[in-house]
Amino acid sequence: MRIVVALGGNALLHRGERPDADIQQANIDRVATALAALAHENELVVTHGNGPQIGLLAVESAADPALSAPYPLHLLGAQTQGMIGSLLACTMHDVLPGHRIATLVTHTIVRADDPAFDRPTKFVGQIYPKDAAKSLARERGWHIAQDTGGWRRVVPSPVPERIVETDTIHDLLNGGTLVVCAGGGGVPVTADRDTGALTGVEAVIDKDLTAALLAEDLKADFLLILTDVPNVYEGYGTPEQRPILDATPDELRRCGFPDGSMGPKAEAAARFVERTGGLAAIGALDAAYEIVHGTSGTLIRPDLASG
C-alpha cells in the first residue's frame, strides 16, 4: 500500500519546548519508531510541518546585523526542509537498515493572485505575550493573531496548485525509496505563464493540503495525518467533547473545525477522499501503525451512498 504521511509540528517540537537541536532530535527518534513498522510493509512518503522552525529562523534573520534585509520566507522554508529532512533521513536510516531513504527539497506552485496573500492566517514561530507580540509587529511589520496560549505571527498561506517535483518523487518510490519531501508544504513559488520560470513568494503553504495534493498525484491508497491528539473531536475542549471515530468528507466539514488547528487537517483529508476514493485518517503519532490498521484515530471514508 502506498501511504503519504503528514507529520504535524509536534513531531519536532511540542508546545512550550525550547527549539534546541537535541530536543528536536529526541522527538525525531520517536517519529522514526512510530513509522518503522509501517515502512516495512508499505511504500511511504513522509511530509512534515515547519512552523516553529521557520518562525525561529525568521526571528534570527530579522535580528542579524550582517543582513541588509531579512531572508524571505521561501528561502527560510527551503532551509527548514534541509534541516528537518536531514534529521528524518538519518534517523529513519538507523531504524530501517538496508532501506533506501532520500530527502528532496520540494517546490509547490501557488497562484500569484491567491486571496490568501491579503489575509495572513498561517501561524509560524513561537508564542508571545500580547504586548511582546504587538511590539514585534510594529518593529518588523508582522501580522499577529491569537493562538492557544498567547499570540503568534501569521503569514499568507496560499492554496497549493502543483508540486514541481512530483515525477521525481514517483520515480524514487518506484525504485523502492522512502521519500521525505514537501516539508512545510513545499517552498512556495509562482510560475510565469509564458516561460514557466519559478519565483519564490513570501508565504508558508499548509503542509496538510500539500500532502493531500501529493497523495492524489502519486495515486496513494492512504493519507495519514499525524498530530498530538488520538482522534478528531467534535466540541474539542468543551464539556460536550466527543471523539469522531469515522466520518465522510461532508460529515467532517459540517463540524466546522477552526482554521488554526484541526480545520486544515480535516479539509485535507476530505479533499483526498473525495478526489480519489481512497482512505484518510487523523490521529496520534505514536499510534501510526494502529491507525492504518483501523484500531485507532479518526477514519475518513468515501460516502458510498452518494457514489
Side-chain angles (χ1 to χ4, degrees):
M1 186 161 62
R2 179 168 291 181
I3 303 173
V4 172
V5 181
L7 298 170
N10 63 295
L12 283 171
L13 284 173
H14 304 155
R15 285 186 181 271
E17 284 187 328
R18 294 177 62 85
D20 296 336
D22 59 342
I23 292 175
Q24 297 189 59
Q25 180 64 66
N27 287 331
I28 285 289
D29 291 344
R30 179 171 156 246
V31 169
T33 300
L35 297 185
L38 284 179
H40 284 301
E41 301 174 359
N42 304 281
E43 293 180 331
L44 288 195
V45 178
V46 180
T47 70
H48 58 82
N50 69 343
Q53 293 77 21
I54 197 170
L56 176 66
L57 291 181
V59 170
E60 293 176 348
S61 179
D64 192 335
L67 297 175
S68 58
Y71 276 30
L73 285 175
H74 65 91
L75 291 184
L76 299 179
Q79 289 182 42
T80 64
Q81 281 197 51
M83 179 187 73
I84 298 169
S86 176
L87 287 170
L88 282 166
C90 289
T91 308
M92 295 299 294
H93 178 274
D94 293 343
V95 299
L96 294 168
H99 231 83
R100 292 182 178 181
I101 299 166
T103 292
L104 185 66
V105 174
T106 313
H107 302 78
T108 303
I109 294 176
V110 301
R111 291 191 353 254
D113 61 351
D114 191 306
F117 286 108
D118 298 320
R119 297 195 310 269
T121 58
K122 182 70 173 175
F123 288 113
V124 298
Q126 67 189 78
I127 296 172
Y128 298 97
K130 185 175 182 178
D131 289 344
K134 285 188 172 182
S135 177
L136 285 168
R138 287 193 300 270
E139 292 172 11
R140 297 172 180 171
W142 290 357
H143 296 275
I144 61 168
Q146 191 167 14
D147 192 14
T148 304
W151 293 72
R152 296 175 71 191
R153 183 185 181 188
V154 288
V155 300
S157 185
V159 174
E161 297 286 329
R162 182 167 63 85
I163 298 160
V164 176
E165 291 83 5
T166 298
D167 288 345
T168 302
I169 298 166
H170 195 274
D171 290 344
L172 287 168
L173 274 176
N174 287 343
T177 302
L178 185 157
V179 186
V180 180
C181 61
V187 177
V189 295
T190 57
D192 185 272
R193 289 182 179 179
D194 298 321
T195 66
L198 303 178
T199 303
V201 293
E202 192 76 355
V204 174
I205 303 168
D206 183 83
K207 69 99 176 41
D208 294 308
L209 295 180
T210 296
L213 178 62
L214 181 63
E216 179 183 351
D217 290 345
L218 293 176
K219 296 180 171 53
D221 304 289
F222 203 105
L223 173 62
L224 177 59
I225 300 176
L226 298 175
T227 182
D228 55 357
V229 292
N231 297 94
V232 177
Y233 291 93
E234 189 171 12
Y236 183 72
T238 71
E240 290 77 33
Q241 174 178 306
R242 70 169 187 88
I244 300 171
L245 301 182
D246 69 89
T248 66
D250 283 345
E251 289 168 348
L252 202 61
R253 287 194 179 104
R254 284 199 293 269
C255 293
F257 299 109
D259 290 339
S261 57
M262 190 56 69
K265 296 174 177 57
E267 179 59 28
R271 288 187 191 186
F272 173 72
V273 172
E274 282 179 335
R275 294 177 180 180
T276 69
L279 297 174
I282 302 171
L285 170 65
D286 293 328
Y289 186 87
E290 290 77 10
I291 294 169
V292 170
H293 289 83
T295 60
S296 185
T298 297
L299 179 70
I300 299 89
R301 51 180 170 72
D303 185 352
L304 299 180
S306 66

